[in-house]
Amino acid sequence: MTADITVTASGVVEALRGRLRGEVATPSDARYGELVAGFHLAFAHTPPVAVGPTGVDDVVAIVTLAREAGLPVTALGEGHGFHRGVSDGILVRTRGLRSVTVDPATNTARIGAGTKWQEVADAAAPFGLTPLSGSDAGVGAVGYVLGGGLGPLGRTYGYGADAVISFDVVTGDGRALTVDDQHHAELFWALRGGNHGLGIVTAMTVRLVPLDTVHGNAWYYAATDVEAVLRDWVRWCGGIPDTMNTYAHLVRMPDDPELPEPLRGQTLLELIHIYVGDESDGLELVEPLLRSAEPVFHEPGRVREDTMAPVTVADGGIYLDDLDDEAVDAILALAGPQHSYDDVPLVSVGLQRLGGALASPRTSSNAVTGRDAAYAFHVIGAEPDVIDTVITDQIRALHCCVDRLKSSGTIPNYIGKANEPGEVDRAWLPDVRRQLGRVREQYDPDGIFRDSHTN
Ligand SMILES: Cc1cc2nc3c(=O)[nH]c(=O)nc-3n(C[C@H](O)[C@H](O)[C@H](O)COP(=O)(O)OP(=O)(O)OC[C@H]3O[C@@H](n4cnc5c(N)ncnc54)[C@H](O)[C@@H]3O)c2cc1C
């Protein structure tokens, strides 16, 4: 114990106020609401104390005091990855640590915890550089890489976790460490994909890719063409180069007057293709698919979503080792356009082609597993009244219908509230899970860090 005062659970708030430069709030404080706010509206975080550290010293003090008081600590970035509300211990909102510094000489960025990918992308763009972020630019950069990080450029450049060069982290025993391939290499291995229970990351340095233009396109196909085009997409995926990234989403569009007429209120197949290279080469690759059926709508330029506002949502993802016509038929039998939104309230039944640079880390090995998988299968429902009932049941039924193709590994980021209970522990292959357990015991000996998936 390194603290100079003895701390009890009841005195921890006063002790935190005495030691931190950043904010300390309890439920009766005006600032509490902002510190505990996350992305998901289905549940709230209600810890007895929330803190907003502004530097590494603050984080060391929080961890040290929590350990002495025997209180759990949970880091909260932007909150996209939580499947439950945090109700105990100290919630550490990392937004006060945000910062981005781009070094164009090394094509790297130093990113403070609490920074959103959009902020990194904005800082990198003037140098013709881009980060390996996810599909939503509002996601926190640190939380994203801790859970693997499967983005729209994954087949070309790998997982977000693969791009990390070093982390600054405060471990469960209150040490502030810089970890990389040479220093605390086992912790560096674990933080890249190990998701939780390892420390509070205060900053990281990541590799950026020299890329000022990517060619994104979304094509939408009518309900009557969904089956044929989806089967063709699966066959087409078997022959694409690493420079082509692609998603197929069965989407149920809202009856929103702001949407283009062909999309409004329709159930459609959305194919998104993101090509790194010459635009004409990318279009040539897509050409056979465009002959499959006449798209009802084309949205050029589609690559990454703007920051999504907080929502009530349930999602669930698994990885698949393969896809075939039988699997496509099984998915469509449960969620195809023959079902109304009232019967199948799923806004997206999505497949993303894996492989390419995702299949092997082009840096030192890390805790990301599922590298042999061929597709990510991710389903989302956003109807507030039925997220824990109909939507969860339907997502699990969809996973079950392709169970024979289920991969033994996946990434924690794709495991949602609607996955089967305990799925986050099964995200990693057994040997990776065992190694993660050993690293957690070493760097968080008292087990103070909580995960976001389970109670
Ligand atoms: C709309 C949406 C789109 C998404 N798109 C993608 C995608 O394209 N690809 C993908 O891979 N994932 C995607 N995800 C999943 C997302 O990347 C993860 O949930 C990620 O963890 C969220 O980051 P966050 O800042 O919101 O983290 P939070 O939800 O705040 O935290 C997630 C986990 O990381 C921990 N954590 C956060 N910050 C720190 C820190 N500084 N130190 C230690 N632990 C920390 C938390 O304790 C928690 O266990 C998406 C999620 C949503 C809701």
Side-chain angles (χ1 to χ4, degrees):
M1 304 284 172
T2 54
D4 48 8
I5 47 175
T6 303
V7 181
T8 60
S10 57
V12 80
V13 173
E14 284 66 38
L16 285 165
R17 288 202 165 116
R19 298 273 294 271
L20 263 57
R21 277 180 291 131
E23 295 176 281
V24 178
T26 61
S28 58
D29 293 319
R31 290 281 306 144
Y32 179 85
E34 195 165 314
L35 286 173
V36 302
F39 176 81
H40 293 280
L41 300 180
F43 50 83
H45 298 304
T46 55
V49 57
V51 292
T54 56
V56 176
D57 291 352
D58 277 0
V59 178
V60 170
I62 294 161
V63 169
T64 305
L65 288 165
R67 192 176 172 213
E68 289 179 6
L71 292 174
V73 174
T74 312
L76 174 65
E78 289 305 300
H80 293 74
F82 278 82
H83 306 156
R84 63 171 184 104
V86 174
S87 57
D88 58 353
I90 304 175
L91 189 71
V92 183
R93 185 68 190 243
T94 58
R95 189 79 181 131
L97 301 169
R98 70 185 177 279
S99 64
V100 192
T101 312
V102 173
D103 180 356
T106 54
N107 289 356
T108 58
R110 183 170 165 77
I111 302 169
T115 309
K116 301 177 200 185
W117 276 126
Q118 186 64 58
E119 293 159 338
V120 184
D122 291 346
F127 303 103
L129 298 169
T130 195
L132 295 183
S133 62
S135 59
D136 181 320
V139 164
V142 166
Y144 179 83
V145 302
L146 293 179
L150 171 60
L153 300 175
R155 284 176 48 80
T156 314
Y157 297 109
Y159 281 99
D162 297 342
V164 180
I165 296 167
S166 71
F167 289 101
D168 290 354
V169 57
V170 176
T171 56
D173 47 12
R175 286 181 294 162
L177 305 174
T178 297
V179 304
D180 58 20
D181 273 332
Q182 270 74 49
H183 308 90
H184 302 277
E186 65 290 351
L187 181 55
F188 182 54
W189 170 89
L191 283 164
R192 290 172 296 158
N195 193 59
H196 63 267
L198 297 157
I200 297 191
V201 172
T202 54
M204 62 180 182
T205 300
V206 304
R207 186 169 49 86
L208 303 169
V209 293
L211 192 69
D212 51 14
T213 313
V214 287
H215 305 288
N217 284 284
W219 277 281
Y220 294 85
Y221 295 87
T224 45
D225 294 322
V226 165
E227 183 183 338
V229 179
L230 188 54
R231 284 175 173 225
D232 283 351
W233 177 79
V234 171
R235 275 184 277 278
W236 175 80
C237 278
I240 55 175
D242 296 2
T243 44
M244 178 60 84
N245 297 271
T246 183
Y247 300 81
H249 296 135
L250 185 63
V251 287
R252 288 180 157 76
M253 294 291 200
D255 190 10
D256 179 349
E258 299 218 339
L259 283 173
E261 193 55 43
L263 307 186
R264 189 176 158 182
Q266 301 296 314
T267 297
L268 303 151
L269 183 69
E270 174 194 64
L271 297 188
I272 302 177
H273 309 297
I274 298 155
Y275 186 68
V276 178
D278 232 38
E279 185 172 19
S280 56
D281 293 344
L283 289 172
E284 201 176 307
L285 275 171
V286 175
E287 168 67 16
L289 261 184
L290 290 174
R291 283 200 302 270
S292 179
E294 186 69 31
V296 293
F297 191 71
H298 175 211
E299 184 186 353
R302 175 83 178 273
V303 176
R304 198 183 281 126
E305 303 289 346
D306 294 335
T307 302
M308 265 178 74
V311 286
T312 301
V313 72
D315 68 318
I318 55 174
Y319 274 8
L320 301 174
D321 286 335
D322 199 4
L323 267 178
D324 51 24
D325 286 351
E326 191 186 330
V328 168
D329 289 349
I331 293 168
L332 292 180
L334 292 176
Q338 73 277 16
H339 299 289
S340 69
Y341 181 74
D342 284 346
D343 291 337
V344 180
L346 302 175
V347 286
S348 170
V349 177
L351 292 157
Q352 178 176 0
R353 178 64 172 163
L354 304 177
L358 296 163
S360 59
R362 294 182 179 177
T363 52
S364 57
S365 92
N366 55 42
V368 173
T369 60
R371 290 196 184 266
D372 296 336
Y375 295 89
F377 181 36
H378 186 243
V379 185
I380 308 172
E383 205 55 50
D385 292 345
V386 289
I387 58 164
D388 290 326
T389 52
V390 176
I391 287 174
T392 296
D393 290 348
Q394 291 186 353
I395 291 175
R396 290 180 185 173
L398 279 160
H399 290 172
C400 192
C401 83
V402 287
D403 192 54
R404 72 192 162 85
L405 301 173
K406 187 177 170 191
S407 171
S408 45
T410 181
I411 57 168
N413 281 2
Y414 269 64
I415 295 172
K417 189 172 157 55
N419 274 92
E420 293 287 347
E423 197 84 3
V424 71
D425 288 326
R426 294 190 289 273
W428 299 280
L429 299 178
D431 55 334
V432 174
R433 189 162 56 237
R434 276 192 296 276
Q435 179 61 12
L436 278 172
R438 284 191 285 270
V439 179
R440 288 192 181 112
E441 270 173 33
Q442 186 182 345
Y443 287 95
D444 182 20
D446 295 335
I448 65 167
F449 295 124
R450 289 291 156 87
D451 90 64
S452 50
H453 290 69
T454 45
N455 282 307

